Amino acid sequence: MTEFRAPLRVALFGLPGAGKSTSGGLLRQTLAEMGRDVAIVKTATPLYDVQEFFYSRIGLPLATGQQDGALLNFLGSHFRAVDPEFLLADFAQRWGNAALGGANAVICDDARPADSAGLAWQGFTIVRVTAPEDVRRRRKAGRGDRTAGADDHPTELGIDTIVPDFEIDNSAGLDELRARVADLAKKLIALPPQPASGGDGGARLASLVRLAQDTISARYAENRHQIAAVIVAGDGRVFTGLHLEAMVGRASICAEAVALGKARAAGASDLRIVLAVRHPKPSEERREIRLVPPCGLCREILLDYSRDMMAVVRSDGGPALVALSELLPHKYVGTKWAVAPVAEGR
């Protein structure tokens, strides 16, 4: 199961307050109702990660959805100054991971003019979201952000020079916007497929395996850390974990469980792919860091949190994806949860 089919890709542009996120959410809902498995993948995720760490570190965590626009402006400029290619390359890796995990539609709801050419090269259909200036400014002011981002910041300049494939007028109410997004969705579905632009499934799986191998290579300690794991979320984010061996064997913690905890702590609930690798002991002749399937306990806990998760296993043709449920065909189902497990779809 390493066949990679390029998903439908849509990038929403617009000044702050125009309604990119709202339009993206409605488009996600509409495409899902049309049978698409939709992932929202943001270009600025690395900026949001640094912002979250900053506010957590000083003990003033941001409320859900709240931003520090001035900080994000600064971070965006600094990321681009240090490595002009990083944000788009990182974004391409994440939307590719999302597609590998099953997404056949990807929405970028925070595109910036500086990235328009790069997103078009990656096969994204360009959609501009507009609103009257007074309406846009009022919406922006009402978001409750810690600080407001500058409309004239370099990352926002050039919006008028972009020639979009489609445009959404967000000047009226939510019902009117929903109708316009539904019309857009029909047009997007009718578009011819775009090329993959970023490698096939085998190459993407190999990249995830290398990440796990690099992780255990850097942290291997005999009788303490022998396994490294990687979990991929539906939005393409990647979480790593190390096996923790204990003096009392039954107290040991598997690498997959550590990665699962990190993913949940980061707010990721839609978990799609898991893989693990084992580092050889010094006494072993074979020195290869090899893929290993999750153990039985890991299969149990992972399926508790994601019923549709896939595992990466060895095959004659290289790493391959299989449904984790196939590795545990008779999963235990108890009565601990009165409602469905916390696993969520896109």
Side-chain angles (χ1 to χ4, degrees):
M1 294 178 57
T2 55
E3 182 181 2
F4 181 79
R5 295 183 178 180
L8 170 69
R9 282 152 280 170
V10 186
L12 303 181
F13 287 81
L15 287 171
K20 298 187 297 296
S21 296
T22 302
S23 298
L26 291 173
L27 182 59
R28 177 182 188 174
Q29 178 182 349
T30 303
L31 289 174
E33 291 170 352
M34 299 170 74
R36 292 285 180 142
D37 190 339
V38 188
I40 291 185
V41 183
K42 299 178 182 292
T43 59
T45 289
L47 281 60
Y48 302 141
D49 290 343
V50 176
Q51 174 186 250
E52 180 181 7
F53 178 81
F54 172 80
Y55 273 96
S56 296
R57 186 66 181 84
I58 62 176
L60 295 171
L62 296 170
T64 302
Q66 189 180 34
Q67 306 289 355
D68 183 336
L71 177 59
L72 292 174
N73 283 164
F74 166 76
L75 290 173
S77 294
H78 205 59
F79 267 79
R80 295 174 194 278
V82 173
D83 184 350
E85 307 298 326
F86 170 75
L87 289 175
L88 277 178
D90 180 78
F91 172 74
Q93 183 66 46
R94 285 183 285 110
W95 75 252
N97 290 342
L100 191 64
N104 54 22
V106 173
I107 299 170
C108 169
D109 66 353
D110 68 344
R112 293 295 186 267
D115 299 322
S116 60
L119 289 170
W121 183 85
Q122 291 184 24
F124 278 77
T125 297
I126 306 301
V127 177
R128 183 161 61 195
V129 183
T130 63
E133 190 66 8
D134 60 330
V135 174
R136 183 189 69 80
R137 289 184 179 276
R138 186 169 62 252
R139 289 171 179 163
K140 179 183 175 184
R143 295 194 308 197
D145 287 344
R146 187 79 60 148
T147 66
D151 291 345
D152 60 352
H153 189 269
T155 58
E156 304 290 357
L157 297 179
I159 190 73
D160 293 332
T161 66
I162 295 175
V163 180
D165 299 296
F166 300 100
E167 191 164 308
I168 297 176
D169 177 5
N170 186 22
S171 60
L174 187 61
D175 289 341
E176 183 64 27
L177 178 61
R178 182 178 287 107
R180 291 170 180 172
V181 168
D183 181 64
L184 171 65
K186 295 176 183 177
K187 295 175 180 177
L188 292 172
I189 291 292
L191 292 174
Q194 292 288 328
S197 252
D200 60 17
R204 293 180 184 276
L205 280 183
S207 176
L208 294 172
V209 173
R210 284 195 300 273
L211 173 60
Q213 291 172 331
D214 291 345
T215 299
I216 194 61
S217 292
R219 296 290 181 262
Y220 172 74
E222 188 176 7
N223 297 324
R224 289 188 182 271
H225 311 304
Q226 190 168 359
I227 307 290
V230 166
I231 284 180
V232 180
D235 61 5
R237 286 183 293 168
V238 174
F239 303 92
T240 59
L242 279 179
H243 151 238
L244 303 174
E245 186 69 25
M247 188 64 72
V248 179
R250 66 184 298 177
S252 300
I253 303 173
C254 290
E256 295 92 328
V258 175
L260 173 62
K262 290 169 68 175
R264 294 293 299 177
S269 58
D270 179 22
L271 308 177
R272 293 299 178 112
I273 298 173
V274 62
L275 68 88
V277 297
R278 177 186 180 274
H279 193 290
K281 295 183 177 181
S283 59
E284 296 179 27
E285 292 185 4
R286 189 167 184 173
R287 307 306 303 160
E288 179 187 3
I289 301 176
R290 305 181 67 193
L291 268 172
V292 291
C295 72
L297 286 177
C298 285
R299 298 175 198 187
E300 285 283 355
I301 191 172
L302 290 168
L303 287 171
D304 280 342
Y305 285 86
S306 181
R307 289 163 293 187
D308 298 322
M309 181 175 278
M310 295 179 289
V312 183
V313 298
R314 285 180 294 169
S315 71
D316 293 339
L321 284 168
V322 298
L324 186 59
S325 59
E326 292 183 9
L327 303 182
L328 190 68
H330 303 291
K331 188 196 179 313
Y332 175 77
V333 179
T335 58
K336 183 176 292 186
W337 289 305
V339 296
V342 296
E344 300 170 6
R346 287 195 177 91

